[in-house]
């Protein structure tokens, strides 16, 4: 079901393929090839899936966002103004009144964290912020082994509407023509 819905939208987890190096045609082809192949879940992906809930709880326990009092998982969220633009943040951070104050993207690598966050994850989170119409997001990377937190990093990411409107949206619209 998730793959079927993803094929009708450009989602945050794949938007990075439309950006970056290479000609527009090359980036578009890279994206189209990726979304038309249903890849099986490998061991590293399963490790991330298995540890995502624990990482979300750790993020809240660390109290990295003082205003956040609750973490709400969510499904696919569609952009309110652009059809075909959607995202599935790992969680939304809520304040005391239940209002969404930030998106949370969680990554649980099976090995050591790299020196800096992967730019693909930053693009993914920026896209989620635009879809959710939220100004702030957090990329939380947690290395968890056998239930123990070995290392973590939290990166604050801000919404960038100029980047979305000038760099991302034009490529997304081109990609949607092939859906």
């Amino acid at each position: 079901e998730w793959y079927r819905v993803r094929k009708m939208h450009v989602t945050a987890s794949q938007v990075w393929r439309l950006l970056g190096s290479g000609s527009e045609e090359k980036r578009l082809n890279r994206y189209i090839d990726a979304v038309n192949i249903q890849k099986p879940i490998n061991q590293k992906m399963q490790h991330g899936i298995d540890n995502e809930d624990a990482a979300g709880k750790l993020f809240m326990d660390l109290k990295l966002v003082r205003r956040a009092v609750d973490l709400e998982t969510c499904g696919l969220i569609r952009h309110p103004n652009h059809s075909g633009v959607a995202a599935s943040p790992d969680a939304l951070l809520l304040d005391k009144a239940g209002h969404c104050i930030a998106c949370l993207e969680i990554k649980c690598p099976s090995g050591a964290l790299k020196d800096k966050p992967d730019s693909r994850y930053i693009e993914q989170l920026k896209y989620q912020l635009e879809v959710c119409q939220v100004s702030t997001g957090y990329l939380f990377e947690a290395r968890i082994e056998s239930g123990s937190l070995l290392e973590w990093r939290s990166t604050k990411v801000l919404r960038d509407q100029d980047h979305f409107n000038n760099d991302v949206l034009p490529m997304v619209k081109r990609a949607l023509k092939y859906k």
Side-chain angles (χ1 to χ4, degrees):
E1 175 67 12
W2 186 84
Y3 284 102
R4 185 185 65 76
V5 172
R6 184 178 86 170
K7 281 190 169 193
M8 298 183 314
H9 297 83
V10 175
T11 58
S13 60
Q14 295 295 326
V15 75
W16 66 269
R17 294 178 189 280
L18 293 169
L19 308 171
S21 63
S23 68
E24 284 189 11
E25 290 307 314
K26 185 175 182 177
R27 289 180 280 148
L28 190 59
N29 288 331
R30 178 175 57 202
Y31 170 80
I32 292 167
D33 289 346
V35 297
N36 286 325
I37 298 170
Q38 186 173 338
K39 292 183 180 177
I41 295 175
N42 64 33
Q43 189 174 4
K44 288 181 179 182
M45 290 170 66
Q46 191 61 53
H47 176 83
I49 292 167
D50 291 345
N51 288 290
E52 193 172 283
D53 288 343
K57 183 177 179 342
L58 287 166
F59 181 87
M60 292 302 288
D61 289 348
L62 291 166
K63 299 195 183 310
L64 298 172
V65 182
R66 282 182 260 152
R67 290 180 39 224
V69 296
D70 199 9
L71 188 88
E72 181 180 280
T73 57
C74 57
L76 186 75
I77 299 171
R78 291 172 175 87
H79 194 287
N81 303 317
H82 300 290
S83 63
V85 176
S88 301
D90 289 323
L92 301 175
L93 300 176
L94 308 178
D95 65 11
K96 288 180 185 178
H99 299 118
C100 178
I101 58 172
C103 290
L104 178 64
E105 182 60 30
I106 299 168
K107 301 297 180 189
C108 297
S110 56
L113 299 182
K114 296 180 182 177
D115 291 340
K116 62 181 184 175
D118 190 316
S119 62
R120 296 175 297 179
Y121 303 150
I122 300 297
E123 286 296 340
Q124 179 181 4
L125 186 50
K126 284 181 180 179
Y127 195 79
Q128 291 171 355
L129 296 175
E130 187 60 38
V131 168
C132 297
Q133 306 285 288
V134 179
S135 63
T136 308
Y138 295 89
L139 171 61
F140 186 64
E141 299 168 277
R143 183 172 161 217
I144 300 171
E145 298 293 335
S146 303
S148 296
L149 178 64
L150 301 180
E151 63 179 325
W152 64 272
R153 172 175 51 224
S154 178
T155 305
K156 183 177 182 178
V157 176
L158 300 176
R159 183 176 174 191
D160 186 345
Q161 289 177 287
D162 288 337
H163 173 61
F164 179 80
N165 290 325
N166 298 324
D167 303 322
V168 179
L169 192 56
M171 285 302 294
V172 167
K173 287 181 177 181
R174 286 195 65 201
L176 288 169
K177 290 179 183 177
Y178 293 92
K179 298 262 177 198

